[in-house]
Amino acid sequence: MRISFACLLLLSATVSSMNEPHRKFVKQHINLEMSVNRCDQVMGSKGITETGSNTCKDTNTFIRANSAEVTKVCGKAGKPYDGGLTISLQPFPIVVCTLKTGNNKPKCQYKGKSVTRYIVIRCEGDYPVHFAKDVFSLG
């Protein structure tokens, strides 16, 4: 019984660590309720900075959809794109937050812009783990 329980714990920890890049992607790039006026607040509350620092991130894109809709891009709702990436077959509403002023947290101030674009992401298995860019058209 102890061996079975230990194996279950090990498997659970392995699955959890495999999902970490996806959880980070969701935290950093998916927000159904995002608006152009909330960039400062959302970037601050989610602690979005340049990786491993307190430096303000120059740009961050929020996809205005739920996680399930974006995850579908890694399957039938997407197609292969440059360098092992995947592009959505349909455009998504997004909010792009671009740094206006400030170098370090908490003085980061952003300007938001709302657009509709195709999203280009990297998938691991069936899950998005990296937002590469947005594009105006599939062509």
Side-chain angles (χ1 to χ4, degrees):
M1 182 75 123
R2 282 187 176 170
I3 293 174
S4 300
F5 184 70
C7 289
L8 182 61
L9 283 177
L10 182 60
L11 178 62
S12 175
T14 302
V15 168
S16 177
S17 67
M18 287 184 344
N19 288 332
E20 185 57 34
H22 174 64
R23 278 197 292 272
K24 182 180 178 190
F25 174 87
V26 170
K27 175 186 171 189
Q28 193 165 340
H29 296 293
I30 297 180
N31 188 330
L32 184 60
E33 304 300 321
M34 189 62 186
S35 72
V36 295
N37 299 323
R38 294 183 61 223
C39 286
D40 293 345
Q41 184 257 326
V42 172
M43 294 288 285
S45 69
K46 291 182 177 260
I48 299 172
T49 58
E50 290 295 337
T51 303
S53 75
N54 275 339
T55 304
C56 303
K57 190 170 182 186
D58 288 334
T59 303
N60 195 72
T61 301
F62 292 96
I63 305 163
R64 296 192 63 232
N66 64 48
S67 181
E69 289 301 309
V70 176
T71 297
K72 288 178 186 177
V73 174
C74 292
K76 294 182 189 260
K79 70 176 188 174
Y81 194 75
D82 282 343
L85 300 172
T86 302
I87 188 168
S88 62
L89 296 177
Q90 298 296 320
F92 283 86
I94 62 174
V95 173
V96 180
C97 299
T98 305
L99 186 63
K100 273 191 320 197
T101 61
N103 292 325
N104 292 307
K105 193 177 150 189
K107 298 184 181 194
C108 309
Q109 293 185 333
Y110 292 88
K111 176 178 173 63
K113 179 180 177 184
S114 181
V115 294
T116 300
R117 299 282 194 268
Y118 295 89
I119 59 171
V120 179
I121 59 177
R122 181 174 28 256
C123 299
E124 286 182 5
D126 294 332
Y127 296 97
V129 296
H130 174 70
F131 182 88
K133 63 181 178 177
D134 59 87
V135 295
F136 183 69
S137 69
L138 285 174

